Amino acid sequence: MDYRVKLPIYEGPLDLLLFLLQRDELDIYDIPIARITEQYLAYLDLMQELNLAVAGEFFVMAATLMEIKSAMLLPRAEVPAGGEMEDPRAALVAQLLEYQRYKAAAGGLASREQEQSLKFPAGGDGRFSQEAPLGESLFVLIEALQDVLARAPEERDVVPGLRGPTLEEQIDAVRERLKAAGGRLRFEDLFEGSRIVVIVTFLALLELLRTGECRVRQDRTFEEIWIYPTLALV
Amino acid sequence: MDLPNAGAGVNGDDAERDLPLKNAVEAVLFVSPDPLPLKKLGRIVGASPDELKAVIAELRAEYEGRGVELAFVAGGYRFFSRPEYASWAKQVLPVEKAPRLSRAALETLAIVAYRQPVTRVQIEEIRGVNSDAVLKTLTDRKLVVTDGREDVPGRPFRYRTTKQFLHYFGLTGLNDLPPLEVSSEEE
Amino acid sequence: MDLPNAGAGVNGDDAERDLPLKNAVEAVLFVSPDPLPLKKLGRIVGASPDELKAVIAELRAEYEGRGVELAFVAGGYRFFSRPEYASWAKQVLPVEKAPRLSRAALETLAIVAYRQPVTRVQIEEIRGVNSDAVLKTLTDRKLVVTDGREDVPGRPFRYRTTKQFLHYFGLTGLNDLPPLEVSSEEE
């Protein structure tokens, strides 16, 4: 295990929840809290295994989810007479809805950014910037990684004593793969080898996304994820 | 008085009076390093807002269907190459060091834009995650600035968007932002 | 390959093939920070010199009598505001830090321009005065550069003018310099 760099995540627990809800087309007003909690915790585990710098807020949210889950199990008989019991999910739903509004607004800004980035002022005052450092949500990538990991051979199948690649080595390897691929590279084609190699490769990819050397794009949910080198590599 | 490159920049020269206002506006907008507000443009070429508006409409029509367009951005007028020709145009331009904004940055920026002035804590309440690093990036890129402090314990900084923000997104002004979606609860 | 944010900037796109070459040339020349030589322009927009010349002639005609003109300067094409509108245009430009050239500098520059490559001693023979400081100024402003050394005792530097010199004076090339006046002695 020779990867110690903790990569920061800028997306928060609300992103993860919205991602899970949207992925399974669940109703935000009627969140199946047990199911969502289970999936949320699985993601949290994987993020820790990846050695990502998981913010404290993720654990706070985990606790909140478990709290809501147990509150949902309270017998309905405790509803005060005449009154309606408040849904234990209400506060979370309100928070998600509020957050969703700003996410939508951010989407609007992104398309304006895209449009504006194609216009240059007269007289050589212009600059053109490279593409977004990360085209898709981190959780889309983690989701895809889960599929890859499911197919990766277990550690015991790997020759013992062989040192795994370091993050630095794997960053160079991913760069080479991208260069060799020319136009774009299928996300899953990037990975080969044991679980640990897959994980280090994934971290290498995240690092390259962070520095803007490449970006990823998924045309539609569930469709292929592609990795594109940015100009820095070309 | 017939010095061609007058220099003093007085607008009432005899020679200059005969030059078409439209051309003067075109020349000034072409060389300006920033979008020019109508007022400033008027002061420079010595024309009223109504005259200017008519001339700008004429110019816009003339540039219709061309490689260049006259746009109104961040409160002023400026010529830009049209987006269709971007892949060629950018080949003569230096590459900007700053990459496009990340999702987290865009999100934070959206919150600042719609809720300004807003404190970091207020932003984090909405995003549900620490936003220190993101705010630093946005501040470094001059898309947001601190604007005084909130009158609450701790006196935290309040953030607002900048003119550079309008520029970056090609917005006329803050009222050019699309209305924030009504949360579906209220629908 | 339906990536909307493509960015790769390849010129062979289907959509791009339908865009008028004239507009592409206009957009590229508009945003370019430097005059673009025909060759480079051709590489960018993917057109032959003949095609480009035709398109440039068209553009020049369209900009006739306007506030902006398409000029050929320092070996390349670039849009400039027309000199008649300078007194307005300069009001929006940042004040140039470098002051106008002194008479001594202009004189020295003229000698370098017409006699290049030329050594300091040769310049001083003509001007009859020490020209060290002036040459330093001109070098700092990148209007002249040293270009090897003269093969005489002391191996003094030889000076010549730069592309920046052509720019500064709006010259197409060195052969665009007006012929040197015949000295009055010979009249």
Side-chain angles (χ1 to χ4, degrees):
Chain A
M1 283 259 207
D2 208 355
Y3 62 99
R4 288 162 316 243
V5 189
K6 273 194 179 240
L7 292 175
I9 316 174
Y10 296 112
E11 288 168 280
L14 295 174
D15 284 290
L16 178 49
L17 284 177
L18 284 178
F19 168 76
L20 294 171
L21 291 170
Q22 274 156 15
R23 186 194 58 183
D24 295 345
E25 294 177 356
L26 297 173
D27 183 0
I28 197 167
Y29 294 101
D30 188 18
I31 301 174
I33 209 82
R35 170 176 169 185
I36 284 292
T37 304
E38 188 189 321
Q39 289 174 349
Y40 181 92
L41 294 176
Y43 267 77
L44 205 51
D45 282 346
L46 183 54
M47 278 154 63
Q48 285 180 278
E49 189 185 348
L50 288 169
N51 206 28
L52 295 174
V54 178
E57 291 92 335
F58 278 94
F59 300 100
V60 175
M61 178 60 77
T64 306
L65 287 173
M66 288 188 281
E67 216 172 280
I68 296 173
K69 190 174 135 191
S70 49
M72 299 286 287
L73 297 174
L74 285 181
R76 297 274 149 179
E78 287 181 18
V79 177
E84 229 182 294
M85 187 182 80
E86 172 148 27
D87 190 323
R89 300 169 294 185
L92 179 63
V93 170
Q95 200 182 4
L96 284 171
L97 288 173
E98 175 76 349
Y99 179 52
Q100 220 174 17
R101 294 168 74 202
Y102 289 101
K103 262 186 104 72
L109 286 182
S111 37
R112 296 223 55 143
E113 180 190 38
Q114 162 66 10
E115 196 186 320
Q116 200 58 23
S117 74
L118 298 176
K119 298 179 182 181
F120 307 104
D125 210 26
R127 296 259 184 291
F128 100 88
S129 26
Q130 298 182 4
E131 300 302 327
L134 190 65
E136 295 293 342
S137 159
L138 173 66
F139 305 120
V140 170
L141 297 183
I142 293 184
E143 163 99 353
L145 175 69
Q146 280 181 328
D147 296 342
V148 175
L149 281 176
R151 290 194 305 268
E154 286 301 318
E155 295 310 309
R156 59 183 135 77
D157 299 336
V158 179
V159 186
L162 262 187
R163 183 181 68 91
T166 65
L167 185 56
E168 287 70 27
E169 287 167 353
Q170 211 53 11
I171 286 172
D172 286 338
V174 172
R175 270 197 196 117
E176 285 308 312
R177 288 295 306 279
L178 281 173
K179 242 186 227 168
R184 59 178 185 173
L185 181 63
R186 201 189 310 272
F187 177 84
E188 58 193 71
D189 290 348
L190 185 62
F191 301 95
E192 51 195 21
S194 66
R195 187 176 178 88
I196 183 68
V197 177
V198 167
I199 286 177
V200 179
T201 307
F202 184 75
L203 292 173
L205 174 63
L206 287 190
E207 182 60 19
L208 290 177
L209 287 170
R210 197 181 61 79
T211 58
E213 279 190 53
C214 63
R215 66 209 153 86
V216 292
R217 186 159 198 95
Q218 182 182 37
D219 290 336
R220 238 165 259 107
T221 321
F222 302 124
E223 279 185 9
E224 218 75 82
I225 296 173
W226 294 95
I227 308 167
Y228 296 85
T230 48
L231 294 174
L233 274 177
V234 179
Chain B
M1 276 297 278
D2 54 356
L3 195 64
N5 290 354
V10 184
N11 307 328
D13 251 47
D14 278 351
E16 288 180 354
R17 246 200 281 273
D18 292 337
L19 294 171
L21 176 64
K22 196 182 68 173
N23 286 357
V25 169
E26 187 181 34
V28 169
L29 291 179
F30 170 72
V31 303
S32 173
D34 299 297
L36 276 185
L38 213 57
K39 251 194 194 159
K40 190 167 177 196
L41 187 57
R43 266 202 309 278
I44 292 171
V45 299
S48 72
D50 283 346
E51 288 176 292
L52 286 179
K53 276 182 193 155
V55 155
I56 284 168
E58 262 187 86
L59 278 172
R60 282 188 146 165
E62 281 177 19
Y63 278 93
E64 206 57 61
R66 304 264 297 271
V68 167
E69 66 184 339
L70 180 51
F72 185 65
V73 157
Y77 292 93
R78 190 172 192 186
F79 282 108
F80 287 94
S81 64
R82 285 188 191 269
E84 302 94 286
Y85 304 98
S87 67
W88 294 302
K90 70 185 175 194
Q91 293 183 56
V92 292
L93 291 176
V95 177
E96 176 119 67
K97 299 137 303 283
R100 302 271 287 275
L101 295 170
S102 69
R103 296 166 71 94
L106 283 168
E107 221 174 87
T108 307
L109 202 46
I111 296 170
V112 177
Y114 284 94
R115 300 273 302 247
Q116 54 193 314
V118 63
T119 67
R120 181 169 61 82
V121 172
Q122 289 167 334
I123 295 167
E124 289 174 352
E125 267 166 22
I126 296 173
R127 292 195 61 220
V129 65
N130 182 297
S131 303
D132 225 14
V134 182
L135 272 171
K136 167 96 173 61
T137 306
L138 293 174
T139 312
D140 285 350
R141 292 185 64 171
K142 297 190 168 50
L143 294 167
V144 308
V145 283
T146 56
D147 181 23
R149 290 169 182 271
E150 189 85 346
D151 207 6
V152 297
R155 299 187 42 75
F157 280 119
R158 292 186 303 196
Y159 292 88
R160 60 171 180 78
T161 55
T162 60
K163 200 159 211 177
Q164 173 62 20
F165 162 78
L166 298 177
H167 259 275
Y168 188 81
F169 291 98
L171 295 164
T172 304
L174 285 178
N175 48 11
D176 194 22
L177 283 169
L180 201 56
E181 253 174 50
V182 193
S183 71
S184 26
E185 250 176 308
E186 299 165 36
E187 281 176 79
Chain C
M1 280 306 267
D2 52 353
L3 188 70
N5 294 353
V10 186
N11 308 328
D13 256 40
D14 277 351
E16 286 181 353
R17 249 200 279 273
D18 292 336
L19 295 171
L21 176 65
K22 196 180 67 170
N23 285 359
V25 169
E26 186 181 34
V28 169
L29 292 179
F30 231 81
V31 305
S32 173
D34 299 299
L36 278 184
L38 213 55
K39 249 193 194 159
K40 189 167 178 199
L41 187 56
R43 266 203 308 278
I44 291 170
V45 299
S48 71
D50 283 347
E51 287 176 291
L52 285 180
K53 276 182 194 156
V55 156
I56 284 169
E58 261 186 87
L59 279 171
R60 282 188 146 166
E62 280 176 21
Y63 278 93
E64 206 55 63
R66 303 265 297 272
V68 167
E69 66 183 339
L70 179 52
F72 185 68
V73 157
Y77 291 93
R78 189 179 183 183
F79 282 105
F80 286 93
S81 64
R82 283 190 192 270
E84 302 93 285
Y85 305 96
S87 66
W88 293 302
K90 67 171 59 142
Q91 291 181 60
V92 290
L93 287 177
V95 180
E96 181 112 54
K97 298 140 301 284
R100 300 272 285 275
L101 292 170
S102 66
R103 293 179 70 90
L106 284 171
E107 216 174 273
T108 308
L109 201 48
I111 295 169
V112 178
Y114 284 98
R115 299 272 302 250
Q116 55 192 310
V118 62
T119 66
R120 181 169 59 81
V121 172
Q122 289 167 334
I123 294 167
E124 289 174 351
E125 267 166 21
I126 297 172
R127 291 191 62 219
V129 61
N130 180 298
S131 303
D132 223 14
V134 182
L135 272 170
K136 168 98 175 57
T137 307
L138 293 174
T139 312
D140 287 348
R141 292 186 60 172
K142 295 190 170 49
L143 294 168
V144 308
V145 284
T146 56
D147 180 25
R149 290 169 183 272
E150 189 83 349
D151 206 7
V152 297
R155 298 186 43 75
F157 281 118
R158 293 186 301 198
Y159 292 86
R160 61 170 179 77
T161 55
T162 60
K163 204 160 210 179
Q164 173 64 21
F165 162 78
L166 298 177
H167 257 278
Y168 189 84
F169 292 98
L171 296 165
T172 303
L174 285 177
N175 47 11
D176 196 21
L177 282 168
L180 206 53
E181 253 173 53
V182 194
S183 77
S184 36
E185 260 172 287
E186 296 169 34
E187 279 178 83

